[in-house]
Amino acid sequence: MARVWIFALLASLGGLLFGFNATTLGLVAATAANDWSLSLGSQVLLSGAFFLGAILGTVFMGRFGDGLSRRDVITTSAACYAFFGFACAISERFEELVVARFFLGLIVGVTSLAIPLYIAEISPARHRGALVSLNQLSITLGIVLAFVIETRLVDDQDLSQLYTISGILAVIVSIGAIILPDSPAWLIKQGDGDAARAVLKVIHGPKADAEVAAIEESLADSHPNVWVGLLEPANRRLLGIGILLFAIQQLSGINFVLQMAGDGSLFQGLDLGWDLVIVVGLVNLFSTLLFVLLVDRLGRRPLLLVGLVGLALCLTGLILESTTGVFPATLAAASPFLLLGYVAFFAIGLGPLPWLFVAEMYPLPVRGLSMSLPITVNWLINAVMVFAALSVDSPDDTLAIYGISLATTVLAIPLCFVLVPETRRLRFSQIRRTWHRSGTANERNEIAATLATSVVTIGGIFFGYNLTVIAGALLQIRPAFALTPFSSGLVVSAVLIGAILGSFVSGNLAAAFGRRYMLMTTTVVLIVGTAVSGLSDSVQVLVLGRLVTGLATGVTASIVPLYITEIAPAPIRGRLNAIQNLAVGIGALIAYGTNTLLMAVPEGWRAMLYLGSVPALLLGIGALFLPESPRWLIARSRFSTAERMLQKLCVANPREEVAQIQASAEHTPAGAGTTPLFSTTIRPPLLIGLTLVFFQECTGIIIVTYYSPTIFQACGVSDPTTASLLTTIGVGGFGLAMSSLSFLLVDRLGRRTQFLMGILGVLTSSIGFGWIFAVLPQGTPAVQSLVLICFILFVSSFSLSLAPVCGMVVSEIFPQAVRDRAIGFVIAFQLLCGMVASFVFPMLADALGLAVVFFINAAIAAMGLPFWSSVMPETRGRSLEAIEEHWLAGQSPATLR
């Protein structure tokens, strides 16, 4: 047993580097600012480089760590840390220091996952809590060393001395890590059972064979697709708890306190005769030691809850002392004691416990990947809190952060009481039997389809961004190019003209080359189009760039729902199609946020347009890893490949699924690929699809999306930035919220119910718009508030209903033989409607006024009610083959319910 403690202590020495670097962030930023006269933005960049590296290091270790030796990762990381620590010490320019700190962060990110993972896998159950928590103890020791070195050993805040010391520490850690044995769990995963058994005999003695059997049993349940294993239903709950714990840990404010203590600003003006900075570090160290001593005696939950209650009490005292003077003058030193109490309560619960939870709770086959998600959240929020510390310049700022920390801690108490499990002295095999459940075949199929959908819907983010960003960009483009109402409409609608052409040919392209290949190739055209748009120096070049972008957008907009529909299991097909709508909403929200940020920047419209290339590039990379549509492969008589793609999608019986799809295709009267698009059989679903997208585009969404800042300006909001911000709130924020709600409801309520909800909401808000602009005096705050309310109602109704439902039904109702061509044709018509609406609106609004335009929209929405009553089909829960059989049998739409 003594050997296990030695191994854990040696491995945990890497935590020294973690704690040392996290604590010196404030001093490094402040000292570099003095040496190089850096602005606040440059200080944020210096700290941000470290955090970016830490995030990427955690992601890398999570993705590949389950295939890498834990011991070798720890040893190599320490050696690399020493190299880049010395590189920081000799940096003579700001840029050199930023690069070196990025690589330091990368290494710290790797070790922040590798060390607790390694220690958990070599620890016996009865001491696992204490042994894993040695890593946190080492982190706190690194914090103390940083405080001592900053205040006692480093002359005039000399960065070279600081980093030389950290490099020496890393050399010591790398030497100590050489004698570590490798993780027995990792060795068994690599097939080296004899080496694993030898390590386990050192740890567990005669029980080694039982441990080997338990590890092999855990691995036997693993799925070959690690992403599917990651998102198994039981593991999703554990992932949520891990993310919650780390979010609470960071939002409790500990890194803000350590950052402020490290640069000396926390105790500024206080002279109590003792070095408070070092005392903070010592209190943190000894409280963590207390946790190590108690965690395997009292358990995880009691220490966590006690720590949270203590944190809440100390934060309450700090806020009261700062705001009301509740403490008498004789207790002027109350604030330091409250801060020390805060640090102590954090260290005996919330500090080490999240690391212990993620190290012991996740399934062995995906333990590293699972750990990476909560730890990445840790680094993200850690960065936010450090940036907050850098930005603090008044007591009110500190008080605001204390308030956020108190609210987080109070909310965390009941959440942790209900959600966090107790694992004291439980073996990994007991944890697995209690909390790990392998998904069923259907669940794994749904997970795999959801993962593929999440990749292709990056195209939806581009679609939403590209169509929406022009709303804010137009406010700068109009004066830059002296646009008339006609040329404004041309700039806006050029992307739609290209999209119509792209959609029209997309069906034949997808049928000939496949769904996946077309998604990859169109990303190149998307990037070229956005580049031409952003670099344009005339209206003609701008229109050309938007036309090219629209061409690729149209192809993508048609193929994405087609692909999703063909890979989605019937029970969640609606939900997966709703992800596309959600992605469009995310893209729109990003566009509105970008508009708001860049509105005050000269020629900011160029960056607004060019940033659309980012999601296009991500889509191209993601498409490399997608399976091809099995239904397209079957239509091309590539049955063995289709079976292999179905295996990737975790279908329970791929061969049987291929036979069913093939049998359905053979029942098509004219044969696959030869059915006329306007044949008698296809005409009913085609007319339904055309009608749905007509209602989707011509009830006013184009006006609300493209011209929302213009409408806000018409009602008296004169400042372009304010108009863009209101658009972000009304259109972007509520649109995304309702799209998220639609994702949850679509397979519960059904398509018809959601369509009716949307039509009624759009009708009501359009009448409201018309009444506001026809009757009320413009320019008053009350009218501006009413316009915002109508915007919210319109966007909420549309995003909850018409946006997801119309596209969803269009992608579901067509037979396989014409699905690609029919969807392309319908989406081309949809974009044509959108182009006409966007082109005509400026002229109609100029000639008739906004009131008349919105009353016209209301009349169109009212026409949707008889369509819903007599024609609108219900496709929820039906397989694509069942829907196809309905049309081939010549039945009416009214019977498809």
Side-chain angles (χ1 to χ4, degrees):
M1 184 55 64
R3 290 185 182 182
V4 179
W5 282 90
I6 293 172
F7 295 151
L9 280 169
L10 289 173
S12 67
L13 288 177
L16 281 171
L17 310 178
F18 184 159
F20 188 89
N21 250 286
T23 309
T24 55
L25 282 172
L27 178 65
V28 169
T31 304
N34 292 331
D35 292 347
W36 291 310
S37 301
L38 301 181
S39 64
L40 176 61
S42 296
Q43 294 179 57
V44 169
L45 177 61
L46 189 59
S47 296
F50 174 83
F51 284 115
L52 177 61
I55 291 167
L56 294 178
T58 302
V59 171
F60 171 83
M61 185 61 192
R63 178 62 186 90
F64 302 105
D66 286 315
L68 299 174
S69 162
R70 286 40 161 157
R71 178 194 61 190
D72 293 349
V73 167
I74 294 171
T75 306
T76 305
S77 296
C80 292
Y81 184 98
F83 175 83
F84 289 107
F86 292 129
C88 287
I90 63 174
S91 296
E92 296 182 353
R93 295 166 48 195
F94 171 71
E95 293 80 5
E96 294 173 356
L97 183 59
V98 169
V99 173
R101 282 190 62 76
F102 167 79
F103 284 103
L104 279 183
L106 192 72
I107 296 159
V108 170
V110 169
T111 56
S112 69
L113 189 153
I115 292 172
L117 175 62
Y118 171 81
I119 297 175
E121 291 182 346
I122 67 168
S123 301
R126 65 183 180 276
H127 297 299
R128 188 173 57 241
L131 290 168
V132 173
S133 301
L134 289 176
N135 182 54
Q136 183 68 19
L137 186 66
S138 184
I139 291 172
T140 59
L141 181 58
I143 293 171
V144 173
L145 286 175
F147 284 158
V148 171
I149 290 169
E150 287 177 11
T151 57
R152 302 294 182 187
L153 301 182
V154 175
D155 298 328
D156 299 322
Q157 295 184 332
D158 190 328
L159 287 183
S160 63
Q161 294 182 38
L162 195 67
Y163 278 113
T164 299
I165 293 170
S166 72
I168 293 171
L169 289 174
V171 171
I172 296 171
V173 172
S174 62
I175 294 173
I178 293 174
I179 68 170
L180 295 176
D182 221 323
S183 161
W186 181 82
L187 290 169
I188 291 174
K189 286 180 69 174
Q190 307 310 307
D192 195 352
D194 292 337
R197 191 172 285 103
V199 174
L200 287 167
K201 283 181 179 178
V202 174
I203 299 171
H204 298 285
K207 298 181 180 178
D209 290 336
E211 289 296 324
V212 169
I215 294 172
E216 291 175 342
E217 184 182 354
S218 297
L219 292 172
D221 293 337
S222 63
H223 193 274
N225 187 329
V226 294
W227 297 103
V228 173
L230 174 72
L231 297 174
E232 296 270 22
N235 202 45
R236 287 202 298 266
R237 182 175 185 273
L238 297 176
L239 284 172
I241 296 173
I243 291 170
L244 174 68
L245 285 172
F246 273 113
I248 294 168
Q249 182 196 67
Q250 293 302 321
L251 289 174
S252 69
I254 186 62
N255 281 296
F256 169 79
V257 170
L258 294 178
Q259 174 89 354
M260 299 289 284
D263 63 18
S265 58
L266 187 64
F267 304 119
Q268 194 170 9
L270 290 174
D271 185 11
L272 302 179
W274 35 285
D275 197 328
L276 280 169
V277 174
I278 295 178
V279 171
V280 165
L282 291 173
V283 168
N284 193 15
L285 177 65
F286 287 111
S287 299
T288 306
L289 180 60
L290 181 63
F291 179 90
V292 172
L293 296 174
L294 296 178
V295 66
D296 288 317
R297 292 177 172 84
L298 299 181
R300 282 66 161 153
R301 282 167 52 87
L303 291 173
L304 175 63
L305 294 172
V306 168
L308 286 171
V309 172
L311 279 175
L313 292 174
C314 292
L315 287 166
T316 301
L318 286 168
I319 293 172
L320 290 175
E321 192 269 342
S322 300
T323 57
T324 65
V326 70
F327 295 101
T330 54
L331 296 179
S335 179
F337 287 106
L338 287 169
L339 283 167
L340 294 176
Y342 164 87
V343 171
F345 280 114
F346 177 87
I348 64 169
L350 198 53
L353 195 130
W355 298 98
L356 176 56
F357 177 89
V358 299
E360 65 181 1
M361 284 303 298
Y362 295 126
L364 174 59
V366 291
R367 186 172 293 154
L369 186 59
S370 299
M371 288 176 66
S372 69
L373 297 182
I375 295 175
T376 299
V377 170
N378 165 74
W379 285 115
L380 286 169
I381 305 178
N382 191 339
V384 172
M385 299 305 290
V386 169
F387 295 156
L390 289 173
S391 304
V392 165
D393 57 7
S394 71
D396 289 339
D397 294 339
T398 301
L399 189 62
I401 293 177
Y402 284 159
I404 294 171
S405 300
L406 176 61
T408 300
T409 305
V410 171
L411 182 62
I413 294 172
L415 287 175
C416 291
F417 180 80
V418 173
L419 296 175
V420 176
E422 180 56 75
T423 56
R424 180 172 67 100
R425 299 191 177 183
L426 291 181
R427 304 167 72 88
F428 279 132
S429 58
Q430 294 172 299
I431 293 174
R432 181 180 61 82
R433 285 192 292 269
T434 305
W435 284 287
H436 302 164
R437 179 183 67 84
S438 298
T440 64
N442 289 337
E443 287 173 337
R444 288 176 167 175
N445 178 213
E446 291 178 0
I447 293 169
T450 303
L451 288 170
T453 299
S454 300
V455 173
V456 297
T457 50
I458 297 174
I461 295 177
F462 176 86
F463 186 80
Y465 182 92
N466 191 49
L467 293 184
T468 308
V469 74
I470 195 65
L474 194 62
L475 298 177
Q476 290 188 345
I477 294 172
R478 190 180 288 124
F481 293 127
L483 299 183
T484 64
F486 176 83
S487 56
S488 295
L490 187 60
V491 168
V492 171
S493 58
V495 72
L496 290 170
I497 295 173
I500 291 168
L501 297 174
S503 297
F504 192 75
V505 301
S506 65
N508 290 323
L509 291 174
F513 300 106
R515 289 55 162 142
R516 173 178 169 270
Y517 181 78
M518 288 309 303
L519 286 173
M520 287 190 295
T521 54
T522 52
T523 57
V524 178
V525 184
L526 290 172
I527 293 171
V528 171
T530 54
V532 172
S533 301
L535 298 173
S536 58
D537 56 2
S538 67
V539 177
Q540 292 81 2
V541 176
L542 176 60
V543 170
L544 176 63
R546 301 230 345 125
L547 188 68
V548 172
T549 304
L551 186 69
T553 300
V555 175
T556 304
S558 301
I559 293 177
V560 167
L562 170 64
Y563 179 86
I564 294 172
T565 297
E566 291 185 344
I567 67 165
I572 63 165
R573 191 173 59 239
R575 196 185 316 160
L576 295 189
N577 272 287
I579 294 178
Q580 165 73 353
N581 181 59
L582 182 61
V584 173
I586 292 173
L589 184 61
I590 294 173
Y592 289 131
T594 302
N595 289 345
T596 302
L597 292 173
L598 297 176
M599 191 60 68
V601 177
E603 293 198 332
W605 64 270
R606 296 184 184 277
M608 296 178 195
L609 297 181
Y610 191 66
L611 285 173
S613 61
V614 175
L617 179 62
L618 294 176
L619 174 62
I621 295 172
L624 294 172
F625 304 97
L626 291 174
E628 181 55 270
S629 164
R631 285 180 166 82
W632 178 78
L633 291 168
I634 291 170
R636 309 289 291 185
S637 300
R638 294 168 59 181
F639 304 116
S640 60
T641 307
E643 187 174 328
R644 194 169 68 252
M645 294 302 106
L646 288 168
Q647 288 175 345
K648 286 187 175 182
L649 291 167
C650 303
V651 172
N653 194 329
R655 184 166 298 176
E656 182 179 328
E657 184 77 8
V658 168
Q660 290 178 354
I661 298 173
Q662 185 181 2
S664 176
E666 290 173 351
H667 292 160
T668 303
T674 61
T675 303
L677 191 58
F678 298 99
S679 65
T680 304
T681 303
I682 306 303
R683 196 176 302 144
L686 185 63
L687 291 176
I688 290 172
L690 295 173
T691 305
L692 284 170
V693 298
F694 171 78
F695 285 128
Q696 189 179 37
E697 295 297 319
C698 295
T699 50
I701 189 58
I702 293 295
I703 298 171
V704 169
T705 302
Y706 288 177
Y707 296 99
S708 45
T710 304
I711 294 171
F712 277 117
Q713 288 180 328
C715 72
V717 180
S718 57
D719 181 35
T721 302
T722 304
S724 183
L725 180 61
L726 289 172
T727 300
T728 303
I729 297 170
V731 181
F734 278 88
L736 183 60
M738 291 301 107
S739 296
S740 302
L741 182 60
S742 170
F743 171 78
L744 299 174
L745 295 178
V746 66
D747 285 318
R748 292 181 172 88
L749 296 180
R751 286 42 160 173
R752 282 174 50 82
T753 302
Q754 280 193 259
F755 180 83
L756 178 62
M757 292 166 56
I759 282 292
L760 293 175
V762 167
L763 177 62
T764 303
S765 54
S766 296
I767 292 173
F769 273 125
W771 175 72
I772 290 170
F773 287 109
V775 177
L776 299 181
Q778 305 304 302
T780 65
V783 169
Q784 294 168 8
S785 299
L786 287 174
V787 170
L788 181 59
I789 291 171
C790 286
F791 260 101
I792 292 171
L793 176 60
F794 187 101
V795 172
S796 298
S797 302
F798 185 87
S799 300
L800 182 64
S801 169
L802 296 181
V805 169
C806 295
M808 192 182 308
V809 174
V810 166
S811 66
E812 293 174 323
I813 58 176
F814 296 110
Q816 175 68 32
V818 298
R819 186 175 295 127
D820 40 25
R821 289 177 290 142
I823 290 176
F825 182 81
V826 170
I827 291 181
F829 177 75
Q830 174 187 7
L831 294 169
L832 177 63
C833 293
M835 184 198 71
V836 171
S838 64
F839 190 79
V840 169
F841 170 74
M843 294 179 282
L844 280 180
D846 188 54
L848 304 177
L850 287 174
V852 175
V853 173
F854 279 111
F855 282 133
I856 292 173
N857 290 336
I860 295 173
M863 295 166 56
L865 296 175
F867 169 80
W868 170 83
S869 176
S870 58
V871 180
M872 175 77 179
E874 178 57 75
T875 56
R876 178 177 60 133
R878 295 175 180 264
S879 69
L880 296 179
E881 287 69 34
I883 297 171
E884 179 172 350
E885 289 174 5
H886 177 91
W887 301 122
L888 296 180
Q891 300 181 53
S892 69
T895 60
L896 187 60
R897 294 182 183 174

